[in-house]
Amino acid sequence: MIAYIANLGVLLGIAVILASSLNLMVGYAGIFSVAHAVFYGVGAYAAAKVALGVTDSFLLATAVAMFVSGAVSFLLAVPVLRVREEYFVVASIGFQVVASTIFTSWHAVTGGMGGLAGIPPARVLGWQLTSPVEYLILTAVCMVLVLAFIAVLVKSPFGRALKAFRDDEVAATALGKDPLALRVAATTISGALAAVAGSIYAFHVSFVNPESFTLDYSVMILAMVIIGGAGSLAGPIVGAVFITAFPALLNFIEMPSRYVGPVEQLIYGASIVLLMIFWPNGLASVWRLLRPRRPVQAAGGGTER
Amino acid sequence: MIVLFQMLVEGVAAGSLYALAAVGFALIYATTRTFHFAHGATMMLAAYAFYQAVTVWQWPAVLAVALAVAVAVAFGVGVERLVYQPMRRTDASFLTIFAASFGLLIVATNVVVLLFGNSFYSVDSTLSQGFLVGPLYLSWVNLLSVAVALVSITALQWFMRRTRTGVILRAMMDDAALVGVFGLGDRRYGMIAFAIGSALVAPAAILTSLNAGLQPSMGALLTLLAIAGAIVGGIGNLWGAALGGLLLGIAENIGVWQLSSTWKPAITFGVLLIFLMFKPDGLLGAATRRS
């Protein structure tokens, strides 16, 4: 039972890291991406490669994973971010589809559908992790670090410039900021942070294969951001808890197992539609409304058009 | 070499259906500025309605086709009326509307999964047979796909140029606010655009189910192809979208000739990514770059 809860906690922590890092793009830079599972996957594969071939050091593997994933998102961002936002959405889906094909087909590196197995347990500063609880602690520490980093980042001049472009591109350009450079930086950082989740996942499950990094999962990460509320720190956390906890709750309802997946997806699809119509700032904004002294800021992503 | 020509035939047939979907998407997008991601859901629902009518209820083909068109139009117009219009009234951002549309696609897909299951269905029809022309095999479905696409797109062309409604829709493409100023109420014309755009995917739904069968994932796939076609053709240009759809169908099938079929989606998006990087305005589109 403790192992079950610890495992659920690790998955939740991974989801929070992924949703929060994607929020940097969706909520702060106004870039809609449906390819976040790619960066998660690239991070997981890179960490797995390091762990299998070089060292079982978690910190080293994570550093490599962040670098590789950041580089991949940089390479995607530079050419594609020049086009309009609606095109980037489609380009990111295209990128996800191409990447999924590469994950399954590039046997020499990814091991194809079979994936990479036998990843050794992680070692952190000389400490060998074995139990699920230890992984939970590791995940929690990583999650807090990532969240703290994002919190500092969005309050920095860089974060303020990003928000300025999201809210009014013309005015921000008039201030002499370069939108392309800012957006590329946000995308690169977002990709590198997603790799932290990938690295945790690879060590925790000790096995990676393409099925964990599909378009469906990218959609789910995006759903977490949207449902929770893009553009706030609490939003992606609320969304990640909502979407990760839901399947666990559905387990308690008597239902033929083949219905579980579709019902789950139906619920989060319907939540997105209803929230977008009635409450586009997401679930987290409900809580913000209850504290009357602070003005409610519009945070439903970019506001251009 | 004969294989190449055969693949070209398949590509033109598939591309004709993508062209219909892309034109529908482009029409909706250009007139209402709605990034209608649930466009593929329209197609999927029409396909399953057709399947249900033909194989389960054993309706005559004409009635089944009529039902498919009715379902497509009802879904498209219903979504415009109940989801997009209320959102547009509150000045929702592009991303908010896109997210809602995305949610609709997820909902529609999973309703179909719950009703029909995830498995693959096929519709038996003599139309999937064909004949040989020299070394090339032509199936009736393929010929019909090309013919239906040509007729529909020509009819749309005529409609947009010669009727009052068509002229108003074209005016909306240029400046929707101005059309509103003339008191022509873009709400009503938005629904007309959705009705036409959705009706255009019904033939694609029917012919795809005859040719390749049905699966819930067909909706998402067609959305992506329609959008990719519209972008490759140049968004805002209906005939460019048709061309883009056709091109993607051909690229996909010729690609499969050289690579394994697991690469099919990757080829489509490879083409799309190349266009976005080097010619983001598409084949026939107006300038679309940021700043």
Side-chain angles (χ1 to χ4, degrees), chain B residues 190-232:
Chain B
M191 292 205 284
I192 292 175
F194 266 84
I196 298 172
S198 303
L200 283 172
V201 293
I206 294 162
L207 290 163
T208 306
S209 41
L210 291 178
N211 202 17
L214 302 94
Q215 227 172 352
S217 59
M218 72 198 290
L221 194 65
L222 192 86
T223 291
L224 298 176
L225 284 163
I227 298 174
I231 291 178
V232 167

Side-chain angles (χ1 to χ4, degrees), chain A residues 221-234:
Chain A
I221 304 170
L222 185 59
M224 291 173 195
V225 178
I226 299 168
I227 289 176
S232 68
L233 288 173

Side-chain angles (χ1 to χ4, degrees), chain B residues 23 74 101 113 134 222 280:
Chain B
V23 170
S101 187
V113 172
L222 192 86

Side-chain angles (χ1 to χ4, degrees), chain B residues 145-223:
Chain B
S145 303
V146 177
V148 169
L150 276 177
V151 170
S152 310
I153 291 171
T154 314
L156 182 67
Q157 170 101 329
W158 176 85
F159 176 82
M160 296 296 278
R161 299 213 170 275
R162 294 278 175 253
T163 66
R164 187 182 137 80
T165 312
V167 171
I168 293 170
L169 287 179
R170 280 197 293 139
M172 277 173 77
M173 289 184 186
D174 288 339
D175 195 332
L178 197 62
V179 175
V181 171
F182 275 90
L184 289 168
D186 53 352
R187 285 175 63 183
R188 192 170 128 228
Y189 286 93
M191 292 205 284
I192 292 175
F194 266 84
I196 298 172
S198 303
L200 283 172
V201 293
I206 294 162
L207 290 163
T208 306
S209 41
L210 291 178
N211 202 17
L214 302 94
Q215 227 172 352
S217 59
M218 72 198 290
L221 194 65
L222 192 86
T223 291

